[in-house]
RNA sequence: GGACAGGUGGGUGAGUUGGCUGAAACCACAUCCCUGCUAAGGAUGCGUACUGGUAACGGUACCGAGGGUUCGAAUCCCUCCCUGUCCGCCA
């Protein structure tokens, strides 16, 4: 959630920055108006309540002195009506304000480039040279079917489209990758956590999936429960509604989970292969920091994910997302894109984001700064998407005879 | 899923014949004093959020959540959630 006080005190600045994310000024104007009205109405309500409290305290005194209380009672009965009337107004404004506020995305950092979509993203650097093939590199689905590594048909039979089954070495490789990634990240100082794959509405609201992106989530029937789209949700919400010890920060965490996404907006995209599935595995990093720590931790997480790719011998590049391509909760995001020789292009395999205090404000994650409670910063990043790493290994390590080599670092995990 | 018992501040835990309790006491924590040796004693402070005020200091709300009764609710009523114990079921 954006800072409403900031919006009020520096409206133009905030509106300018949110323009990068294509937010219309009228929406912000309305939000600001509601905020002002709410404050006025609430102040009036509180005055009435103060009156009621003060006068109610006279009752025991009157009774003691055997005074007549009927006049006082009548007065308070009337005031009570006023209070409940005003209370209703305040509640309505609060609800309306909340709907607005929860649907406004995070404010992009100043160094986020202006742009419409992924074409305006900024390449920061490339790591490792793509290998030169002396034969035509196949795409992963071709390899997957030839080697009986991926069973697309039966995945669909079991569930529906965008589900698949891994077999033979692929199944083993997936497990090896998860273990390797967890070990790699924990060696870098991220504490391993194992979390639920199903969370409640408050958690989804805390990290920003709800209320706006309900259509992207799998919901449990007849329950206010959802399948997680990323481990970012349970990891970040671990500390929802808490005030953390300053010494405990920064908290660096990592977790392996399955992730579930409806892929509502991506009909027709990546229908071939396992690039875009309803269920996929991911090892995720989440950090909770003091505000002044978050830039440093962001770099650390990014480096961690990049080093992981390098250790697997996978060529990749770092891309700074422009405002138009930035996610809802992120103030800044750098994507890692891995080279896929079969597709002959880079594809996203990780996304590292700093949400600043956006999620912290929603989820009420604070820390003690001296006497005051302040909002933390939260960051998340994949390290890495397991399925896409599997794809990258298949395509990059394929041999002329159609077989696939196993990266050196994974051999002991198989 | 069934029965019973509960959900109070960082922790333990009082308060349930409605008002003087936003909440005793103890512990923990912070600052100070005394004293000096591996300790002890004393003083003060110490929930969260919003809000008024330069500040001092005020106001409102919150005792699992949401409703209700009442002039007034942590205390009474309803619904939901959660925890514990026993039973049932089960990886």
């Amino acid at each position: 959630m954006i800072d409403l006080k900031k919006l009020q005190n520096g409206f133009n600045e905030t509106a300018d920055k949110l323009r990068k994310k294509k937010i219309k000024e009228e929406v912000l104007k309305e939000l600001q108006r509601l905020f002002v009205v709410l404050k006025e109405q609430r102040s009036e309500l509180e005055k009435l309540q103060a009156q009621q409290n003060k006068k109610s305290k006279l009752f025991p005194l009157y009774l003691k002195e055997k005074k007549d209380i009927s006049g006082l009672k009548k007065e308070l009965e009337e005031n009570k009506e006023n209070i409940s009337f005003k209370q209703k107004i305040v509640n309505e404004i609060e609800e309306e304000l909340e709907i607005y506020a929860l649907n406004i995305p995070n404010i992009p950092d100043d160094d986020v480039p202006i742009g419409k979509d992924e074409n305006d993203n900024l390449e920061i650097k490339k790591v490792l040279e793509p290998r030169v093939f002396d034969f035509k590199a196949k795409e992963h689905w071709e390899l997957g079917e030839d080697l009986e590594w991926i069973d697309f048909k039966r995945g669909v039979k079991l569930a529906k489209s965008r589900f698949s089954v891994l077999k033979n070495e692929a199944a083993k490789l997936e497990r090896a990758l998860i273990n390797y990634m967890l070990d790699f990240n924990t060696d870098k100082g991220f504490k391993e956590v194992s979390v639920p794959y199903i969370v409640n509405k408050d958690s989804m609201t805390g990290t920003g999936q709800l209320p706006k992106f309900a259509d992207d989530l799998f919901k449990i029937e007849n329950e206010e429960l959802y399948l997680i789209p990323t481990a970012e949700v349970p990891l970040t919400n671990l500390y929802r509604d808490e005030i953390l010890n300053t010494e405990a920060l920064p908290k660096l965490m990592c977790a392996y989970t399955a992730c579930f996404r409806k892929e509502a907006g991506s009909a027709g995209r990546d229908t071939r292969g396992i690039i875009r599935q309803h269920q996929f595995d991911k090892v995720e990093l989440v950090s909770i920091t003091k505000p002044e720590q978050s830039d440093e931790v962001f770099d650390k997480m990014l480096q961690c994910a990049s080093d992981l790719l390098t250790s697997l011998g996978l060529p990749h590049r770092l891309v700074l997302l422009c405002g138009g391509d930035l996610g809802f909760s992120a103030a800044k995001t750098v994507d890692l894109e891995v080279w896929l020789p079969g597709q002959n292009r880079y594809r996203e395999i990780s996304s590292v984001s700093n949400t600043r205090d956006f999620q912290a404000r929603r989820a009420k994650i604070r820390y003690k700064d001296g006497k005051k409670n302040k909002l933390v910063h939260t960051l998340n990043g994949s390290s890495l998407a397991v399925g896409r790493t599997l794809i990258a290994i298949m395509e990059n390590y394929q041999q002329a005879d159609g077989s696939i080599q196993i990266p050196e670092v994974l051999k002991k995990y198989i």
Side-chain angles (χ1 to χ4, degrees), chain A residues 115-148:
Chain A
K116 239 172 69 187
D117 50 36
E118 69 264 23
N119 297 313
D120 298 320
N121 293 343
L122 207 72
E123 183 180 296
I124 301 170
K125 68 167 172 181
K126 286 197 169 88
V127 182
L128 298 184
E129 276 292 309
R131 169 184 156 204
V132 180
F133 286 82
D134 49 16
F135 59 94
K136 172 143 177 43
K138 292 179 182 166
E139 302 216 35
H140 77 275
W141 59 77
E142 214 180 330
L143 293 161
E145 283 189 320
D146 291 350
L147 293 164
E148 290 186 34

Side-chain angles (χ1 to χ4, degrees), chain A residues 18-211:
Chain A
L18 277 171
R19 203 162 294 132
K20 276 191 196 168
K21 276 204 175 174
K22 310 172 196 164
I23 296 304
K24 292 197 185 108
E25 196 170 308
E26 297 87 78
V27 178
L28 295 175
K29 277 250 164 71
E30 178 61 9
L31 184 64
Q32 186 189 32
R33 188 189 69 82
L34 283 170
F35 185 56
V36 171
V37 173
L38 176 63
K39 275 169 78 164
E40 285 167 6
Q41 293 296 312
R42 190 182 274 152
S43 159
E44 284 177 29
L45 170 67
E46 286 180 3
K47 271 182 202 143
L48 293 174
Q49 286 172 324
Q51 242 179 66
Q52 192 79 353
N53 287 342
K54 209 168 162 193
K55 295 225 167 144
S56 285
K57 290 202 172 115
L58 293 174
F59 267 81
L61 296 177
Y62 274 41
L63 289 170
K64 214 184 211 172
E65 294 168 23
K66 305 220 154 100
K67 277 197 193 164
D68 180 32
I69 55 166
S70 57
L72 184 61
K73 191 164 176 180
K74 193 156 183 230
E75 192 187 336
L76 284 171
E77 273 168 6
E78 275 172 29
N79 195 40
K80 190 183 169 188
E81 299 258 313
N82 292 336
I83 289 177
S84 64
F85 182 72
K86 192 58 96 177
Q87 182 79 62
K88 255 191 204 132
I89 293 175
V90 168
N91 288 347
E92 278 167 22
I93 299 171
E94 258 175 359
E95 268 173 48
E96 203 181 339
L97 181 78
E98 192 181 72
I99 292 170
Y100 266 92
L102 288 178
N103 282 293
I104 306 270
N106 200 359
I107 298 166
D109 280 358
D110 290 339
D111 58 350
V112 167
I114 296 171
K116 239 172 69 187
D117 50 36
E118 69 264 23
N119 297 313
D120 298 320
N121 293 343
L122 207 72
E123 183 180 296
I124 301 170
K125 68 167 172 181
K126 286 197 169 88
V127 182
L128 298 184
E129 276 292 309
R131 169 184 156 204
V132 180
F133 286 82
D134 49 16
F135 59 94
K136 172 143 177 43
K138 292 179 182 166
E139 302 216 35
H140 77 275
W141 59 77
E142 214 180 330
L143 293 161
E145 283 189 320
D146 291 350
L147 293 164
E148 290 186 34
W149 277 24
I150 309 175
D151 190 336
F152 295 105
K153 283 211 170 113
R154 294 197 176 92
V156 176
K157 177 167 75 177
L158 290 173
K160 59 182 269 182
S161 61
R162 289 197 193 279
F163 284 90
S164 58
V165 175
L166 296 185
K167 290 179 169 174
N168 302 316
E169 280 74 24
K172 274 195 187 298
L173 199 51
E174 180 182 55
R175 180 155 56 90
L177 278 171
I178 292 164
N179 285 329
Y180 174 63
M181 288 173 185
L182 283 170
D183 285 350
F184 188 94
N185 291 320
T186 50
D187 282 350
K188 301 263 179 184
F190 294 86
K191 288 230 170 83
E192 187 172 340
V193 192
S194 178
V195 291
Y197 293 4
I198 295 177
V199 298
N200 58 30
K201 191 178 170 184
D202 286 345
S203 295
M204 286 296 187
T205 307
T207 29
Q209 281 71 27
L210 289 178

Side-chain angles (χ1 to χ4, degrees), chain A residues 275-294:
Chain A
I275 283 262
R276 196 176 297 276
Q277 301 274 282
H278 287 307
Q279 174 187 324
F280 62 96
D281 288 340
K282 185 155 58 71
V283 174
E284 180 81 357
L285 305 177
V286 165
S287 301
I288 295 181
T289 76
K290 291 194 263 184
E292 63 270 24
Q293 297 168 327
S294 73

Side-chain angles (χ1 to χ4, degrees), chain A residues 227-293:
Chain A
L227 265 51
I228 56 168
T230 158
E232 168 199 341
V233 177
L235 284 176
T236 308
N237 278 283
L238 231 33
Y239 299 104
R240 173 158 47 81
D241 287 319
E242 292 194 29
I243 300 171
L244 301 168
N245 284 331
T246 313
E247 310 83 64
L249 301 176
K251 277 185 187 295
L252 309 179
M253 299 174 279
C254 79
Y256 153 75
T257 70
C259 303
F260 304 90
R261 297 184 184 177
K262 276 203 167 168
E263 296 296 343
S266 43
R269 291 176 68 190
D270 302 311
T271 46
R272 206 85 205 261
I274 58 166
I275 283 262
R276 196 176 297 276
Q277 301 274 282
H278 287 307
Q279 174 187 324
F280 62 96
D281 288 340
K282 185 155 58 71
V283 174
E284 180 81 357
L285 305 177
V286 165
S287 301
I288 295 181
T289 76
K290 291 194 263 184
E292 63 270 24
Q293 297 168 327

